[in-house]
Amino acid sequence: MADYQTTLSPILIIDLTLLALLLVCAVAMVRVRRLFAVVMLSGIYSLLSAAFFVSMDAVDVAFTEAAVGAGISTVLMLSGMLLTAKREKPIKTGRAPIAMFVCLIVGAALVYASIDAPAFGDPNAPANAYLGKMYVENNWADTQVPNIVTSVLASYRGFDTLGETYVVFTAALAVMLLLGIATERGGKKKLDARAMEAQARREYLEMQAEKERVISGGND
Amino acid sequence: MMFVVASIAVLVSMALVLARAILGPTLYDRVLAGNSFGTKTVLLLGLMGYVTGRPDFLDIALLYALINFTGTIAILKFFRYRTMAGSMDDMRGQS
């Protein structure tokens, strides 16, 4: 087998810059205490990784990442944030060195494992050498599904997709129960009409006050 | 070459927007930072297609623009109405 070499190209520079921005974004998400900023940063993180996935030619993954990461989970995180505090509590740093140590070990193990993986886009890699070819050649005889991507997802990897569906269904159910999306008051206690109106008025005034405070600035 | 330079310019502006999202200081700065970061992603995806010589993914970039728009609307609706499934009854407590 001939060696496959990746070359230094403009797209590599873009990749490296995107990864650097991802790192900055991740560190900022850990450091910032204001939860709204963390939610916005996680949306930005998803957009960055989606751009990165596109440059790695994984357009479908990138699309899912942008729709779920930047779209839905931002809204879910915000609705979760409304049920809790606006700021993260300061945490005790007593066990931080142990956690850091575990993270470093796991990261080093993953990097070590990635050394053995075939280079990006290597035509001799098992996935490119015969697996993809096998799907293309045998698809019609095996499944009679005209779209190969559909047949791989729903037939060749049918059980995998079924398991994924279970996971997504369970997660959606848990999120709906936690946030009370289907309830009228968004999971809050329902009061009688007059009290509800009074509370709505109170909330609105609070919100106005907060808005003015925010616009006047400098609260972070 | 032109596309590479343009991509680098977009990346630099992405870094600037990221700095605004981290530093804040107000809520609206961060909403705007998130929104314009989405716009920069759309631009970068478009440019990246031309850098690699395969501008087939332009429609994906357009769909990102749609997601970005909807996401910003959702966030802003959230701050107006404080609930996800609530009615958009704007007169609440205002009259």
Side-chain angles (χ1 to χ4, degrees):
Chain A
M1 277 186 190
D3 266 359
Y4 178 78
Q5 297 285 330
T6 47
T7 50
L8 187 79
S9 60
I11 208 79
L12 188 67
I13 301 169
I14 295 177
D15 280 355
L16 287 177
T17 320
L18 282 177
L19 284 177
L21 286 177
L22 265 181
L23 194 68
V24 171
C25 192
V27 171
M29 272 164 81
V30 176
R31 302 293 302 176
V32 171
R33 283 279 165 269
R34 206 176 156 71
L35 286 177
F36 179 75
V38 177
V39 172
M40 290 317 289
L41 280 172
S42 76
I44 288 176
Y45 189 91
S46 295
L47 283 170
L48 267 174
S49 35
F52 182 62
F53 290 152
V54 168
S55 86
M56 300 287 279
D57 274 346
V59 185
D60 50 340
V61 184
F63 193 67
T64 315
E65 177 68 41
V68 174
I72 295 170
S73 58
T74 306
V75 174
L76 287 180
M77 290 285 205
L78 275 178
S79 50
M81 198 190 85
L82 286 181
L83 297 177
T84 62
K86 293 243 167 64
R87 272 173 180 278
E88 196 181 333
K89 276 185 194 154
I91 41 160
K92 285 180 231 136
T93 51
R95 287 185 192 160
I98 306 171
M100 189 71 190
F101 181 70
V102 172
C103 283
L104 283 179
I105 292 287
V106 173
L110 287 174
V111 169
Y112 179 69
S114 77
I115 294 171
D116 255 359
F120 175 67
D122 189 350
N124 299 321
N128 297 334
Y130 60 88
L131 190 65
K133 223 179 275 175
M134 192 208 80
Y135 285 143
V136 174
E137 281 163 4
N138 300 344
N139 171 50
W140 185 254
D142 284 350
T143 63
Q144 273 98 49
V145 177
N147 188 331
I148 296 177
V149 176
T150 308
S151 82
V152 168
L153 276 178
S155 176
Y156 287 108
R157 299 181 193 161
F159 282 113
D160 184 61
T161 307
L162 184 67
E164 272 171 25
T165 314
Y166 284 149
V167 170
V168 171
F169 177 71
T170 316
L173 210 61
V175 166
M176 280 179 81
L177 287 174
L178 276 174
L179 297 181
I181 287 168
T183 62
E184 202 179 323
R185 297 271 301 141
K188 287 177 201 156
K189 196 175 166 191
K190 200 167 176 183
L191 310 163
D192 64 295
R194 201 183 297 168
M196 245 172 98
E197 197 177 305
Q199 180 164 359
R201 195 175 291 273
R202 209 158 46 232
E203 269 180 18
Y204 179 77
L205 289 175
E206 254 171 47
M207 210 166 76
Q208 287 293 335
E210 189 192 342
K211 214 184 285 174
E212 266 159 36
R213 193 165 51 83
V214 163
I215 287 169
S216 64
N219 58 344
D220 196 1
Chain B
M1 193 60 206
M2 186 178 70
F3 291 118
V4 178
V5 174
S7 310
I8 289 169
V10 170
L11 281 171
V12 169
S13 66
M14 272 171 134
L16 292 175
V17 168
L18 184 61
R20 184 44 64 207
I22 293 169
L23 295 175
T26 69
L27 192 150
Y28 296 102
D29 280 323
R30 292 195 165 112
V31 173
L32 189 59
N35 186 20
S36 54
F37 203 91
T39 315
K40 299 286 178 292
T41 315
V42 173
L43 291 176
L44 186 68
L45 290 191
L47 284 168
M48 238 156 40
Y50 285 101
V51 167
T52 51
R54 288 175 302 150
D56 310 328
F57 300 146
L58 267 183
D59 46 347
I60 302 271
L62 288 179
L63 256 161
Y64 274 38
L66 283 178
I67 290 173
N68 188 28
F69 174 71
T70 320
T72 308
I73 295 282
I75 292 167
L76 291 176
K77 183 197 163 188
F78 225 80
F79 275 92
R80 189 90 177 88
Y81 302 101
R82 299 261 141 173
T83 161
M84 190 138 67
S87 67
M88 301 251 281
D89 182 11
D90 215 341
M91 292 296 110
R92 195 176 77 171
Q94 229 175 19
S95 53

